[in-house]
Structures are given as structure tokens and as C-alpha cells.
Amino acid sequence: ITIEGRAAKRVFLAALCSVCQALQGGMLFPTESPSREVKDVSGLWSFRADLSPERSRGFEQQWYKSPLAETGPVIDMPVPSSFNDITQDAKIRDFIGWVWYEKDVWVPARWIQDQGTRIVLRVGSAHYYSVLWVNGVKVTEHVGGHLPFEADISGVLRQTSGSACRITIAVNNTLTLETLPPGTIQYMNDRSRYPAGYFVQNTNFDFFNYAGIHRSVLLYTTPKAHIDDITVETTFSDNIGLVSFNVSVLGSSKPAVKITLSAQDGRCVASADGSRGVLKVTDVNLWWPYLMHENPAYLYSMEVSVENTEDGQTDVYTLAVGIRTVKVTSTQFLINNKPFYFHGVNKHEDADIRGKGFDWPLVVKDFNLMKWMGVNSFRTSHYPYAEEILQMADRHGIVIIDECPGVGIKDIRSFGNVSLAHHLTVMEELVRRDKNHPSVVMWSVANEPASEMPPAGFYFKELVSHTKSLDSSRPVTYITASNYARDLGAPYVDVICVNSYLSWYHDPGHTELISLQLNTQFDDWYGKYQKPIIQSEYGADAVPGLHSDPPMMFTEEYQTTVLQNYHNVFDQKRKEFVIGELIWNFADFMTTQTITRVVGNKKGIFTRQRQPKAGAFLLRERYWRIANETGTGVELNEMLELALVISAN
């Protein structure tokens, strides 16, 4: 990582060494309760990119020790957002290296004065690796761009300047062969064409490498004796639901733990004492996916109360619980013992101006569009999405394939021990964060890796096995685009997920070949592995408003023709072993600049501004028809009315 300089490189290596220790704790989403407060410190931050040749001046001059504005020019930067599209400066849009954020916040005096209060600083995500200081004191560092990290800053605040809190975060978006996703830095040494020190970031994925603080920055409190983690697993038999729970408590040697499970009307339906146990729920309301049941997405409320018998302090945390089961057979995916067919989309966290920054209006709009279309599922391609999105999916009954950032693993050097160790750690962080979401029904450990390379067999055997050891209640997959006969990781997954772009990247323009080639694809994969198959990506670029008859590539007519030809085969094979179809993509999204991309990838069925193309209407008709065929007997018109009511509420 030569562009960062020696000081910055030491920071990165130290973070790699310390990340396993950080995983010892839990990562509960911050919520307010009688014992907890949350203060959102997002908003406008001061920002400065380190434009020095080595990108290391900030560390060498210790910018974290004084207000950032005293080190040089700063600009306003909104948090959460990517920094790339905020300014008019192309150097900022394409910047690779360290950027620095800073904000002064006031911490409530009672938080500081109460020695029994624990004060935590949490970053929802920052891409790619980060170092965090409070009042000039380093409090934590984190490797990885899509998952939260936090630090107990109680001691720092009480030892420095009290209520004044200067938060400094340095973020580096450099990708190497050992990061997820991986990349390489290429120096251009031809002095007749490039100036000295000129370099580019190379990647093997087709989306823009947005960077910055992408999710909220929060301060929150807990008592010193506090609930650190909660794990729930659910099942049912007849009308009895079972909720197994395991509560981790820190800061007390003799905690008194009480669990109360309440229905949506507030009635207590089960309770227990102790940190581990099983709750029994009579006449259980199961969590069902959207369009699979007349009462989808039923959530119970589990209140965990911990009293520290040493000082009488109590900590309270409430967790939404959906009771459901997931099973996989050789031909079916079962939710609550009923066959479930994925009719959904792939997405990106991507939008104009904000890049990958979390934005509530966009999230709500996307869920409304998905439900309008009859979407029952999506994949978090190609990285973990914000926790708030998973909470929305829990509440709306949208099923999720939860994917880690293992995209673009094409270089054999990215299958080494360092890469594998980091990949295992990322899966630990992902499972730790998302394990309690009923909407999450499957883990995806990678997208389109070079799984035919010799190291891939061992790599994915270890990766899948480790993920199952973290969570045995969900199946594990990865997304393949390899030849079925040479895929070395497929034997270890529970579901085969295949990406193919027939008549686009293969035989472009020849939609008449899709039926033959897609049937062959499915028969080959199933014949070899005898596992259910999801068509995890398919589609074609469509420039909105571009038309041609007969259809030609890049027109809306060509996109719909490709979709129709795929759908004809899906309708045959879903009677056998195909269990799902996920269109690529829900909406157009930004990519790096190349001669094959005209201001981004245009395979969306919606534009980047969420306006429908012809393909959106085609899929809407198809998905509602499938829902009517595979649902619980609720007629299509009733489902449409139900969708309108839910959207209105």
C-alpha cells in the first residue's frame, strides 16, 4: 500500500492484528430505552483530503491532535454520504487514499458526571478502513467498508475536556489484494505519458468505488453493567412457537436477566428468567414473507432486562423477533415448511449526489417500488446494506440474501491465507450484526469469484464451513458465473446461485439462443450437484427512452425481450428445481468510467432516479401472477388491495 506511506501502513497492519479482538463483543443496533440514550452526531462535518504524494501527511503531521481547520483548508461534508459527488472537483470524485473528517459535539453533562454511565461512539460504516480519535486520543480502528464499529469513549471524555468532544475519523478507500472487495494500485511509469507518482486503482467489480462515512455516526449510552449481545433462533411445531435466546452481559458478575416476549397488541405471550433458555408461544403468529400469507411479517417484541445485583442498576434492550424456519431440500427452498419462490431483484446502495450514503427517503421509495412490483426478495449485492434496510425488510416481509463484500476475487493472490483470514472475519462481523433478522434467510459469501482456480476449493470449503459454524440455522451460498464442471466451491454450498447474461455478454443480439442455452445451463448445474438453483443475475442494459422495433441492444424493447425469453425457461424449470429469479438490476447505478458504460450501468428496470422502464411493468405483471399461483389462495385483486393498504400505512 505504497501510496499511504509508512505511518499509514502501520495503522492498517495494526488494524488487521486487532480486528479479531474487536469481534469478542456484540454489535446490537443502538436504540433508546429506559436505560439507554442515543444522540445522532451526523450532519455537516469538516473534511479534508490528504493530497500529499504519499497520502501520509495527515499522520506525519498528526492532524488528529488539533482542530482540522488548523492543519489546512477544509470543506463542509455531509454525513452520511459518499464524498465523491459532493463537490465540483474531479480530484475529489476520483480520490484514492486518506481523507479526514472532524466534528465538534457536546456530550450531555449528566452522561459525563454519572460514573455508572458508559458512553459509546459508533460508526455505521466507513469505506474502507478507518481510524477514530476523540479529543486527539485514538479510540479504535476498523478494517472493512460496510459494517459498523464502535468504541467505549467514557474514559477519554472524563480524562480530557469533559462535555466537549472533538471526533476525528480518517478513512482510506484504497483496495489491495487482501481487502474485500480486492483491488490493486498500478503506478504508471512511462514518463512520456504520465507524471511522476501517477497511479490508478484497479478493481474487478462493476460499480463505483464510493467512499466516505456512509452511515450514521452515533453516541449512545448504557449502564456499566449492560446487555452486550443477544442471539435468538426460532422454530415451531403445530401452533407452538419456540424462541431460543442467549443473552451476553458485561460488567456484572451476578446479573439478573428477565425476558419478556410481547405480541403486537402488547400482550405478554411468554417470559423467562436467566440469560439462556427457550420461550414457548402458544397460537403462534409466524413471520411470513410478503405475498405468501394474508398476515405477513408478524413481529413479536422481546424485552431483555438485566439488573446488576451489585448496584441495582438495570439495562433494558428491546429486539424485534420473527418466528420462522428455513430449510433447503434438493429441489425446494422452504420457509415455515412451505415452498418459497424468490421473485425479486438485485440492488445497490447507490443514488445521485449521495453515492452510497444512507438516505431514508430513498429507502422508503425503494420499498414502495418493490412492493408495487410484487417483489418478495432481494440480494444485498455486493456488500452488507445498512441495518435500517434490514429492519424495513423485517417489517414488510421482504426476504433477503445477505451478501458480504466478497466481489471481484479474480486474482489468485486473493485466495491466500491473509485474504482468507480477513474474509472469515468479515463473515463473523456480518453474522454478528444480522443474525437476528427474520428477513435474512441465506448468507452469500462471495459474488462471481474465480472459483475454478486451484486454491478456490479449499478457500470456499473453509469459508462456508466457518459461516455455518457461526449460524447453523441458515443456508450458505455464493454467486457463481463459472463453468459448472470447473466450479470448485459449488460442492460446499446449499443453494446454487448462477449469474448469466445470455444474448448480452454471450452471443450479443441473439435472443433466439436464450432458451437453448438457459435450459442447458440449468440441466448441467442440477445434473452435477443435485441442489436447488436460483438465477441470481440476468438482464440487459436499456437506455431509458431508447426504442427500436425489431429490438436492438440498449433499447427498452431489447431488455424486455431478453427478460421474456428468460421467463419462458424459468416457468418450465421452477416446476422442477429452480427456486428463484433475481433481475439485475433494480435501478441503474454508477460505475467507473469505461468505454462500455455510458454514465453507469443501465441494466436497471428503473432509472437511477427511480422512474420505471418498460421492463418494470413486465416484471410487475409477472411477479403478481407468480404470487397468485404460489401464495396462500389469496386472489390477485385482494393482494393488490392489501399492497395498497400496506403502502398507505
Side-chain angles (χ1 to χ4, degrees):
I1 321 174
T2 53
I3 67 165
E4 300 169 51
R6 289 186 294 274
K9 186 174 181 180
R10 285 196 297 272
V11 170
F12 176 59
L13 293 175
L16 278 176
C17 295
S18 65
V19 71
C20 290
Q21 181 178 359
L23 285 179
Q24 292 177 356
M27 194 58 68
L28 294 173
F29 185 78
T31 60
E32 293 196 317
S33 76
S35 61
R36 296 177 176 228
E37 294 183 71
V38 179
K39 179 181 174 72
D40 193 334
V41 296
S42 306
L44 280 183
W45 288 52
S46 297
F47 174 90
R48 185 181 181 189
D50 187 340
L51 297 171
S52 62
E54 293 281 322
R55 303 294 197 259
S56 59
R57 183 173 298 156
F59 287 96
E60 293 166 356
Q61 297 182 355
Q62 300 179 323
W63 288 356
Y64 52 87
K65 284 197 170 182
S66 60
L68 193 59
E70 295 180 5
T71 70
V74 297
I75 62 173
D76 289 337
M77 187 59 63
V79 172
S81 79
S82 303
F83 62 74
N84 308 81
D85 292 342
I86 298 299
T87 77
Q88 301 305 108
D89 190 344
K91 294 194 301 293
I92 296 298
R93 181 193 63 199
D94 301 323
F95 184 79
I96 302 296
W98 289 100
V99 297
W100 292 72
Y101 289 80
E102 180 191 87
K103 186 168 186 177
D104 290 310
V105 302
W106 283 98
V107 179
R110 66 182 182 281
W111 291 10
I112 304 294
Q113 294 163 2
D114 184 354
Q115 296 294 319
T117 294
R118 177 174 164 266
I119 307 169
V120 181
L121 176 60
R122 176 190 175 103
V123 179
S125 76
H127 186 70
Y128 174 78
Y129 39 93
S130 309
V131 188
L132 195 155
W133 296 264
V134 171
N135 295 337
V137 178
K138 191 177 86 169
V139 293
T140 193
E141 49 201 301
H142 182 257
V143 180
H146 307 90
L147 291 163
F149 56 97
E150 63 183 31
D152 184 338
I153 62 171
S154 313
V156 173
L157 291 178
R158 291 179 179 126
Q159 293 170 11
T160 53
S161 54
S163 295
C165 178
R166 178 168 49 85
I167 304 171
T168 308
I169 306 176
V171 182
N172 193 320
N173 62 342
T174 306
L175 301 178
T176 73
L177 290 169
E178 287 80 32
T179 59
L180 280 182
T184 56
I185 294 295
Q186 180 181 1
Y187 280 87
M188 303 303 190
N189 297 319
D190 184 346
R191 291 295 165 264
S192 67
R193 301 180 63 193
Y194 305 98
Y198 192 88
F199 65 89
V200 294
Q201 170 80 76
N202 294 321
T203 60
N204 284 305
F205 52 81
D206 187 31
F207 55 91
F208 192 80
N209 187 34
Y210 279 114
I213 301 176
H214 285 153
R215 296 170 194 159
S216 297
V217 181
L218 305 174
L219 288 169
Y220 74 92
T221 66
T222 74
K224 278 192 174 180
H226 62 278
I227 301 159
D228 178 62
D229 198 12
I230 304 168
T231 302
V232 298
E233 291 188 4
T234 66
T235 187
F236 69 94
S237 178
D238 297 325
N239 70 329
I240 303 297
L242 300 175
V243 180
S244 300
F245 63 88
N246 186 359
V247 178
S248 170
V249 179
L250 295 181
S252 174
S253 59
K254 296 180 179 180
V257 181
K258 182 172 181 60
I259 312 294
T260 304
L261 191 71
S262 299
Q264 290 184 353
D265 60 6
R267 291 179 300 108
C268 174
V269 296
S271 62
D273 294 322
S275 60
R276 304 184 69 169
V278 179
L279 300 173
K280 183 183 293 186
V281 183
T282 305
D283 295 325
V284 63
N285 286 301
L286 299 179
W287 187 94
W288 288 98
Y290 177 56
L291 302 179
M292 197 175 176
H293 192 269
E294 60 271 14
N295 185 24
Y298 191 94
L299 292 173
Y300 291 89
S301 178
M302 189 172 83
E303 182 181 276
V304 180
S305 176
V306 173
E307 181 184 0
N308 182 8
T309 56
E310 298 163 358
D311 62 10
Q313 276 194 320
T314 299
D315 189 23
V316 178
Y317 190 91
T318 301
L319 181 73
V321 174
I323 300 175
R324 60 103 181 97
T325 60
V326 174
K327 297 177 184 176
V328 176
T329 72
S330 62
T331 60
Q332 291 181 316
F333 195 99
L334 304 175
I335 295 181
N336 300 334
N337 299 324
K338 302 291 185 182
F340 177 78
Y341 186 80
F342 295 79
H343 44 90
V345 296
N346 294 277
K347 294 184 88 278
H348 265 300
E349 288 185 316
D350 173 275
D352 290 329
I353 302 174
R354 59 192 61 76
K356 291 193 182 303
F358 179 80
D359 180 60
W360 267 120
L362 186 70
V363 171
V364 174
K365 178 66 172 179
D366 282 0
F367 270 83
N368 284 336
L369 287 173
M370 286 190 288
K371 296 180 78 170
W372 170 82
M373 276 181 54
V375 165
N376 68 0
S377 54
F378 68 86
R379 174 167 65 114
T380 68
S381 46
H382 297 296
Y383 38 80
Y385 290 0
E387 293 159 276
E388 294 90 338
I389 293 177
L390 273 63
Q391 292 166 0
M392 283 282 286
D394 292 341
R395 293 196 301 271
H396 290 269
I398 305 298
V399 165
I400 290 178
I401 300 173
D402 204 353
E403 188 160 280
C404 85
V407 57
I409 306 176
K410 304 293 188 183
D411 192 304
I412 195 168
R413 292 169 292 178
S414 292
F415 287 101
N417 289 336
V418 174
S419 295
L420 177 58
H422 180 53
H423 206 150
L424 295 175
T425 298
V426 169
M427 288 309 302
E428 289 179 21
E429 291 188 17
L430 177 60
V431 173
R432 175 182 64 175
R433 191 195 73 165
D434 295 347
K435 60 189 174 183
N436 294 324
H437 290 284
S439 58
V440 175
V441 301
M442 184 157 56
W443 306 110
S444 171
V445 298
N447 177 77
E448 294 189 5
S451 50
E452 71 282 355
M453 288 185 174
F458 172 78
Y459 189 97
F460 285 105
K461 179 181 179 181
E462 292 297 308
L463 192 56
V464 172
S465 174
H466 185 65
T467 304
K468 289 185 175 182
S469 73
L470 299 170
D471 177 19
S472 61
S473 68
R474 292 177 176 90
V476 180
T477 189
Y478 70 80
I479 316 302
T480 183
S482 298
N483 181 282
Y484 79 98
R486 298 195 297 271
D487 194 300
L488 300 177
Y492 307 110
V493 301
D494 299 301
V495 175
I496 302 292
C497 289
V498 182
N499 294 350
S500 62
Y501 291 90
L502 309 176
S503 82
W504 191 258
Y505 297 125
H506 306 283
D507 299 301
H510 293 281
T511 57
E512 72 275 7
L513 297 176
I514 291 176
S515 177
L516 172 62
Q517 294 179 356
L518 189 57
N519 271 291
T520 300
Q521 168 196 288
F522 285 142
D523 291 340
D524 285 345
W525 280 98
Y526 190 77
K528 183 172 178 62
Y529 298 105
Q530 299 292 300
K531 296 176 181 180
I533 300 173
I534 295 175
Q535 182 73 42
S536 42
E537 289 182 26
Y538 72 104
D541 283 74
V543 177
L546 191 61
H547 299 285
S548 174
D549 186 27
M552 294 186 66
M553 293 179 71
F554 292 98
T555 65
E556 293 193 41
E557 288 79 10
Y558 191 85
Q559 186 184 53
T560 58
T561 300
V562 169
L563 269 55
Q564 286 168 331
N565 278 274
Y566 267 86
H567 297 165
N568 291 337
V569 180
F570 294 161
D571 285 340
Q572 300 171 35
K573 294 301 182 181
R574 64 189 176 95
K575 300 173 185 175
E576 302 176 45
F577 48 76
V578 170
I579 60 169
E581 55 193 77
L582 304 177
I583 185 70
W584 187 268
N585 191 282
F586 172 75
D588 296 343
F589 56 91
M590 189 53 63
T591 64
T592 54
Q593 298 184 71
T594 73
I595 58 172
T596 62
R597 295 283 178 255
V598 183
V599 194
N601 189 304
K602 295 296 190 291
K603 291 189 179 67
I605 53 171
F606 294 94
T607 67
R608 202 181 190 207
Q609 295 73 37
R610 275 44 180 185
Q611 297 304 312
K613 304 177 191 177
F617 296 97
L618 175 71
L619 280 173
R620 181 175 189 254
E621 185 280 328
R622 173 174 178 77
Y623 285 175
W624 281 103
R625 175 170 54 82
I626 292 174
N628 196 40
E629 295 171 358
T630 60
T632 59
V634 181
E635 291 299 321
L636 177 58
N637 288 337
E638 294 179 24
M639 285 187 167
L640 285 167
E641 292 173 5
L642 176 63
L644 291 172
V645 170
I646 294 173
S647 296
N649 291 335

